[in-house]
Amino acid sequence: MASDPETPEDRKPQSDEARSAFTPPLGVPQPPLHEDEHPTSEFALPEGMRAEAPAEPEGSAFAPPGSALNSATGSTTGTHQLPTTPAGWPAFTPPHGIPVVSLTKDVPWQDRMRTMLRMPVTERPAPERIERADETGPAVPRVLDLTLRIGEILLAGGEGAEDVEAAMFGVAHAYGLERVEPTVTFTLLSISHQPSLVDDPVTASRTVRRRGVDYTRLSAVFQLVDDITSDGITLEEAYRGLAEIRRNRHPYPSWALTVASGLLSGAASMLVGGGLTVFVAAAIGSMLGDRLAWLASGRGLPEFYQFVAAAMPPAAMGVALSMTHSGVQASAVITGGLFALIPGRALVAGVQDGLTGYYITAAARLLEVGYLIVGIVIGVLGVLYIGVQLSAHTLNPEEGFGSFDEPVVQIIASLLLALAFCVLLQQERHTVLFATFNGGVAWVIYGALTQARIHPVVATTIAAGLVGLFGQLLSRYRYASALPYVTAAIGPLLPGSATYFALLNFAQGNLDSGVSSLIKAISLALAIAVGVNLGGEVARLFIKAPSGEEAATRRAAKRTRGF
């Protein structure tokens, strides 16, 4: 058989390595190179020195300087940590320099989710949640259940419908549910998720049976939503945090709420010209009314009858003082009691829902406010009618409080009034100082404008607008709800005196004067609500808008142009 012809490659001599007798056989590792044969460089790191860590992103201006700088230089453990001064600053400039100070935080979840909520479903960016190795995907029923439970606490606490929907959308979006549509209608919460156009939607709903005022719980829920949308905590951790929020007790006991109710009425009576006697009488009447309301609540009576019961003792105290011929300003006593009962929180929420396009929820909230005011009217008007029949001569609808001009006393009274409101709203202790200061500033602005001969409705709108502006900016800085900083601060602006004089004129049969005073009270109440909402909208002009895939502006509803 003929052999294969020899190729030129076969005729080449083999290398020395192939013929060397010192070449290790196949499978035997090569011996290490001699120390002199290692390549060296003048830029090589000497022995004993550690490599320089890469530069980190800029730190936050709100983080402690020592921790921010140590993280920027990568020195976190062992003896390699940078030397620091006793004050916590580094002893020398790090290799990458000191991080640039950032004066603004990232956009809070409220604004990011509100912006996406107003976008069409097809234009919303997809979630950027990073799946963990042990996660196979979002558990849709559990995510929807968690979303509804969070929305329930927010809606029961008095949050506006738009903020509740933004929170629900943020939670669902954070857990990877792209095509979700939350809906809020006063007492009903629903959310629908459709994975794709060809899949069946999954819908869940929840009804809010009871509503209560606890701004501490409200703030905790806002913090939980921030953790979910920003830190990406797991579903189990979110459920655990929600359970802890529900288990927490109110920060103030019931007796503290009763004392705060008396302090509020007493401060309100001083705000309109009352002295020490009027302060004590108004406080006692309001505390008796608060206890009667608690008794009616314990018996299961609706909130309407609770307001009727709470309104009667302050009015009875004023009528009793007017019949003693003691010269005490009984009108200030009754006015102080009305300050503690006017549902300013529900009124502001109702008007805000109407201005943001949630008309069904706004109508329901305003109807609730109407029922509560009717309960107050029935309680006060019944007592006033009895007092008029008994010839309570000092109950004069012609007297007013415009002649009282004691700025120092009124400023102190406004601060006490806002402080009492903070306790009644169960606010966190670290928010009380800001809300109290906000209420005092609101009264100073209102008083200065009225002294400049500006109409009370205009002055109230401007003062309430500044309250809303300050509350919104502070809430964005603290990543919290704006209600704790706004609701208590509008207390000094509530139309207690106008409401009282309207009821007194009705009791005495002066319908024209009563209607005029009632229209004034309604105008002041609406001015407060519109001013607070306008201040919140103005605050968003100073807040960095979401950018990138999310829309740079917050879309508004289109005008109907009359058709």
Side-chain angles (χ1 to χ4, degrees):
M1 180 179 297
S3 60
D4 295 335
E6 187 178 5
T7 62
E9 296 294 334
D10 296 333
R11 290 195 298 266
K12 287 184 179 180
Q14 294 184 344
S15 64
D16 294 338
E17 183 178 325
R19 298 194 304 268
S20 175
F22 300 99
T23 302
L26 184 64
V28 179
Q30 294 281 348
L33 295 177
H34 191 270
E35 183 177 352
D36 295 337
E37 299 182 11
H38 279 287
T40 58
S41 172
E42 59 179 319
F43 301 102
L45 200 66
E47 185 179 358
M49 297 292 292
R50 62 184 182 88
E52 184 178 311
E56 296 288 338
E58 294 180 2
S60 172
F62 304 97
S67 60
L69 292 172
N70 287 342
S71 63
T73 54
S75 55
T76 56
T77 58
T79 59
H80 302 295
Q81 189 171 359
L82 285 177
T84 56
T85 62
W89 293 92
F92 52 86
T93 304
H96 298 290
I98 298 177
V100 178
V101 176
S102 176
L103 299 179
T104 59
K105 286 188 174 184
D106 295 332
V107 179
W109 65 265
Q110 298 101 305
D111 296 302
R112 289 187 286 112
M113 294 303 118
R114 187 182 289 109
T115 301
M116 296 181 61
L117 192 64
R118 293 195 171 190
M119 299 173 61
V121 178
T122 56
E123 298 180 12
R124 293 173 182 169
E128 297 181 357
R129 177 176 171 81
I130 301 176
E131 298 291 344
R132 292 181 171 86
D134 56 346
E135 292 181 348
T136 59
V140 175
R142 297 200 68 198
V143 172
L144 297 183
D145 177 71
L146 175 68
T147 302
L148 290 173
R149 290 178 183 274
I150 290 177
E152 178 189 9
I153 297 179
L154 293 177
L155 186 61
E159 275 290 349
E162 187 178 30
D163 291 328
V164 176
E165 284 194 2
M168 295 172 63
F169 180 79
V171 173
H173 193 266
Y175 287 113
L177 304 186
E178 300 180 24
R179 306 172 64 89
V180 291
E181 285 296 335
T183 304
V184 176
T185 53
F186 190 49
T187 58
L188 180 64
L189 299 167
S190 64
I191 186 169
S192 177
H193 168 62
Q194 188 176 15
S196 65
L197 294 177
V198 297
D199 293 328
D200 294 331
V202 180
T203 303
S205 62
R206 194 173 184 87
T207 302
V208 179
R209 300 294 182 184
R210 294 187 60 185
R211 291 187 301 275
V213 181
D214 188 347
Y215 283 0
T216 299
R217 180 175 295 179
L218 195 69
S219 300
V221 174
F222 261 71
Q223 182 60 47
L224 177 62
V225 176
D226 183 55
D227 293 339
I228 293 173
T229 56
S230 301
D231 299 338
I233 63 176
T234 64
L235 199 61
E236 295 300 329
E237 292 172 343
Y239 264 108
R240 193 179 304 114
L242 188 62
E244 293 177 358
I245 293 173
R246 288 183 174 275
R247 284 196 300 266
N248 287 342
R249 295 187 175 183
H250 301 305
Y252 306 104
S254 59
W255 64 265
L257 302 182
T258 301
V259 174
S261 177
L263 178 62
L264 190 153
S265 297
S269 65
M270 292 179 61
L271 198 64
V272 295
L276 181 60
T277 304
V278 172
F279 178 91
V280 175
I284 293 175
S286 182
M287 287 189 290
L288 291 176
D290 183 77
R291 286 291 93 190
L292 277 179
W294 277 97
L295 180 62
S297 175
R299 295 294 181 179
L301 293 178
E303 198 172 15
F304 174 83
Y305 299 106
Q306 298 176 28
F307 271 76
V308 173
M312 295 176 68
M317 186 68 68
V319 171
L321 288 176
S322 67
M323 297 178 63
T324 59
H325 307 279
S326 59
V328 177
Q329 196 174 10
S331 301
V333 176
I334 303 176
T335 300
L338 290 175
F339 266 85
L341 297 175
I342 297 177
R345 173 181 59 91
L347 177 64
V348 170
V351 173
Q352 179 181 357
D353 288 341
L355 294 177
T356 52
Y358 295 83
Y359 300 115
I360 297 178
T361 307
R365 288 186 189 271
L366 293 178
L367 183 61
E368 180 190 33
V369 171
Y371 272 108
L372 298 181
I373 291 179
V374 169
I376 298 172
V377 169
I378 292 175
V380 175
L381 197 57
V383 176
L384 288 181
Y385 181 78
I386 296 175
V388 170
Q389 297 301 317
L390 296 177
S391 301
H393 63 283
T394 58
L395 292 175
N396 182 13
E398 300 298 330
E399 65 177 345
F401 303 122
S403 59
F404 181 69
D405 186 16
E406 291 290 340
V408 177
V409 176
Q410 290 176 311
I411 292 174
I412 295 176
S414 65
L415 293 174
L416 290 177
L417 195 152
L419 175 63
F421 255 122
C422 291
V423 177
L424 289 175
L425 295 173
Q426 300 280 3
Q427 292 189 193
E428 293 179 295
R429 289 175 172 83
H430 67 84
T431 65
V432 171
L433 178 62
F434 295 102
T436 303
F437 176 77
N438 201 10
V441 171
W443 179 258
V444 170
I445 298 297
Y446 171 79
L449 293 176
T450 53
Q451 288 294 324
R453 305 299 181 183
I454 296 179
H455 195 275
V457 175
V458 179
T460 301
T461 304
I462 296 175
L466 292 177
V467 168
L469 175 63
F470 178 80
Q472 288 289 343
L473 292 178
L474 191 59
S475 69
R476 293 306 190 272
Y477 173 74
R478 291 181 172 269
Y479 282 36
S481 172
L483 289 181
Y485 304 104
V486 171
T487 306
I490 64 174
L493 303 176
L494 293 176
S497 58
T499 305
Y500 161 70
F501 287 121
L503 299 181
L504 183 57
N505 278 293
F506 286 144
Q508 294 182 345
N510 303 324
L511 296 182
D512 293 339
S513 299
V515 171
S516 178
S517 297
L518 185 60
I519 291 176
K520 180 182 178 181
I522 294 175
S523 300
L524 292 174
L526 292 178
I528 294 173
V530 173
V532 169
N533 180 264
L534 182 61
E537 295 297 331
V538 172
R540 295 188 179 98
L541 299 178
F542 301 97
I543 299 173
K544 184 177 63 174
S547 58
E549 292 184 338
E550 301 178 9
T553 57
R554 175 182 172 216
R555 298 188 179 186
K558 293 182 179 180
R559 292 184 295 172
T560 60
R561 299 185 183 275
F563 54 84

